[in-house]
Amino acid sequence: MKIAIIGAGAAGSICAIELKRRIPSAEVDVYEAGKRPLAKVAITGGGRCNLTNSFEGIRSLGEAYPRGEKLMKRLFRSFGHAETLRWFEDEGIRFVLQEDHCYFPASQDAMEIVNMLCLRMRQEGVRIHTGHKVSTIGRKETQGYVLSFEDKPDAFADIAVVATGGCQSKFSQNMLETLGLEIVPPVPSLFSFNISDRELTALMGTVVEEASVTFAGTGFSGKGPLLITHWGLSGPAILKLSSHAARHLAEKAWKGRLLVNWTGMKEQELRPMLGALASAQSHKKISNTHPDTIPVRLWGHILRKAGAREDLRWNELGTKGLNRLVNTLLNDEYEVTGKSRFKEEFVTCGGIALQNLNPSTLETKTSPGLYFAGEVTDVDAITGGFNLQAAWTMGYTVAGAIEAKAKAYSVLPG
């Protein structure tokens, strides 16, 4: 059995290793367009590799997976985050769990993961071909697939696994369109926001530990730490919002009105808190006393937007002044003028439509022996290790499905 895996990323690598372990007699070739395998894994998590998440605090998978929730729920029953941790621990990797529920290798070095996966592929007999950019995947007249490359001879396989990652490039889309499968147009899904308000961007480096952000007139929101940058706003709250609102924002050319709740509180919580602060500090200047969760530089910016003078004392604020301050803290408004790439961790929303695939095996319904795994499918997640977890799970699932197919056709005993 000849098996071709297109893409040496997270999904393709774990699939290749599992295939050789399950079907030792199979010839497994991995074709990677880039110069080295697992290049994206090497830079995830700021070069530390956020391998997965504990999923604590995730009430439903839809919170973590804006697209692909039902599929991932099904696949996690067989290979979820606990199974993933055991798989890597069996390969000698040790982990640390952060307070934000993210798992990293104890070494804090993504290259430990990259090197281990590359070593295991070589040890198992997987053939890795870098610099092999697939231009088309075609069906053979009898059975199997023909892989055509830009500048290399064609390759043939009985089974093909497409694990090319996000199909944001036109080149990737052209390769997939030759298969006659429905493709959901890909758009970016993890990015920060450009905001031209100079008073805000002058506060670059300021972090609010618990804020919430919403696009006006929509139900899209995000909650968590918020970072002010020299170009606008970033941090987990923004990245969650960008992920859930990815397609809406693309349709709006990444422009809109952003409402920022600097406290993450509801009005019925915020008013009593400010009231207590005003009573305790009644004769002090408002500019010198602020909620503990609001950094002092940001507090001055909020007061100016609320129209409160710097020399104003709490007992001089009055009901109208308090209302303006509450509204600014809860609904501070900014115009988003565009998007910025979030570091190098580029993730796309879109790809192969899930209705093309058997949800248990990830094999295409119309092309037997053709499988898809990872971000090339219309599955993506918020930041925090969820995207890598989807890749590990789908790669592992495909290997198991191919093993079952091999047994059914008597390629394997049993």
Side-chain angles (χ1 to χ4, degrees):
M1 178 182 283
K2 294 180 180 291
I3 305 172
I5 299 176
I6 306 168
S13 297
I14 195 171
C15 183
I17 294 167
E18 280 295 311
L19 279 170
K20 282 299 290 183
R21 289 174 175 175
R22 293 163 182 257
I23 317 175
S25 61
E27 296 180 18
V28 179
D29 290 90
V30 178
Y31 298 98
E32 168 58 43
K35 295 180 179 179
R36 57 188 186 279
L38 296 152
K40 189 172 178 180
V41 173
I43 59 175
T44 57
R48 298 186 297 134
C49 189
N50 184 184
L51 199 85
T52 186
N53 194 286
S54 71
F55 287 76
E56 291 183 41
I58 300 296
R59 293 166 297 181
S60 71
L61 278 185
E63 295 179 6
Y65 294 93
R67 288 149 292 273
E69 170 192 4
K70 291 182 179 179
L71 175 66
M72 297 318 302
K73 185 176 182 179
R74 174 192 290 261
L75 299 183
F76 283 164
R77 292 173 189 151
S78 300
F79 195 77
H81 78 277
E83 290 79 14
T84 298
L85 290 172
R86 281 198 294 271
W87 193 94
F88 280 94
E89 285 172 345
D90 288 344
E91 302 301 331
I93 305 296
R94 296 296 173 261
F95 298 99
V96 292
L97 176 62
Q98 295 188 164
E99 290 183 3
D100 60 0
H101 314 306
C102 295
Y103 277 100
F104 288 85
S107 64
Q108 299 288 294
D109 185 3
M111 290 309 298
E112 181 184 12
I113 303 297
V114 171
N115 292 337
M116 181 277 290
L117 290 171
C118 289
L119 176 61
R120 293 295 180 270
M121 283 192 283
R122 290 195 298 270
Q123 288 175 334
E124 298 294 345
V126 175
R127 295 187 294 242
I128 305 173
H129 311 269
T130 56
H132 279 63
K133 183 178 285 188
V134 176
S135 56
T136 60
I137 305 172
R139 292 287 301 273
K140 292 175 66 176
E141 289 186 8
T142 52
Q143 61 180 10
Y145 294 89
V146 180
L147 276 58
S148 298
F149 303 92
E150 278 192 326
D151 54 358
K152 303 285 192 307
D154 291 352
F156 303 91
D158 300 301
I159 289 176
V161 180
V162 181
T164 51
C167 56
Q168 63 267 24
S169 72
K170 190 64 180 174
F171 183 90
S172 297
Q173 294 174 55
N174 289 341
M175 178 191 74
L176 299 175
E177 284 169 357
T178 62
L179 299 169
L181 300 172
E182 180 185 350
I183 299 174
V184 180
V187 297
S189 67
L190 278 184
F191 48 87
S192 55
F193 296 161
N194 294 339
I195 293 174
S196 58
D197 188 316
R198 292 185 178 181
E199 286 194 18
L200 179 71
T201 56
L203 305 174
M204 61 182 180
T206 299
V207 177
V208 179
E209 291 299 333
E210 191 64 27
S212 60
V213 287
T214 307
F215 265 99
T218 77
F220 299 116
S221 63
K223 192 171 185 177
L226 185 63
L227 169 66
I228 301 174
T229 69
H230 67 274
W231 65 85
L233 290 171
S234 187
I238 293 295
L239 297 174
K240 289 177 184 177
L241 175 58
S242 75
S243 180
H244 283 275
R247 199 157 294 285
H248 168 80
L249 291 172
E251 293 170 356
K252 299 295 182 181
W254 299 284
K255 293 179 174 62
R257 291 186 299 119
L258 181 71
L259 302 179
V260 181
N261 178 340
W262 295 107
T263 67
M265 296 181 177
K266 295 180 179 179
E267 184 174 351
Q268 57 265 37
E269 299 170 309
L270 178 61
R271 279 189 179 276
M273 186 269 284
L274 287 180
L277 184 62
S279 297
Q281 310 289 342
S282 60
H283 295 291
K284 291 187 178 180
K285 292 180 180 179
I286 295 178
S287 57
N288 293 338
T289 53
H290 57 89
D292 294 337
T293 58
I294 306 294
V296 62
R297 292 172 65 212
L298 176 60
W299 181 243
H301 172 71
I302 291 170
L303 291 178
R304 286 190 291 274
K305 292 200 72 174
R309 305 189 319 271
E310 288 189 5
D311 62 346
L312 194 70
R313 300 180 189 280
W314 278 104
N315 60 5
E316 300 170 333
L317 182 60
T319 302
K320 289 185 179 179
L322 178 62
N323 289 341
R324 287 195 298 269
L325 180 57
V326 167
N327 186 60
T328 304
L329 283 166
L330 295 178
N331 299 289
D332 198 6
E333 186 173 320
Y334 298 93
E335 283 294 327
V336 175
T337 58
K339 64 177 176 61
S340 292
R341 186 166 171 169
F342 176 62
K343 298 181 180 178
E344 298 300 319
E345 300 179 34
F346 193 82
V347 174
T348 56
C349 147
I352 291 295
L354 298 184
Q355 55 262 37
N356 292 299
L357 307 178
N358 180 317
S360 298
T361 64
L362 303 181
E363 184 178 23
T364 56
K365 295 176 180 177
T366 56
S367 300
L370 177 64
Y371 297 79
F372 285 83
E375 199 188 333
V376 69
T377 65
D378 188 23
V379 175
D380 65 283
I382 61 175
T383 187
F386 300 103
N387 283 295
L388 267 182
Q389 179 59 63
W392 307 130
T393 295
M394 286 194 269
Y396 187 93
T397 297
V398 168
I402 294 173
E403 178 192 24
K405 181 184 284 285
K407 286 182 177 178
Y409 284 90
S410 301
V411 175
L412 294 177

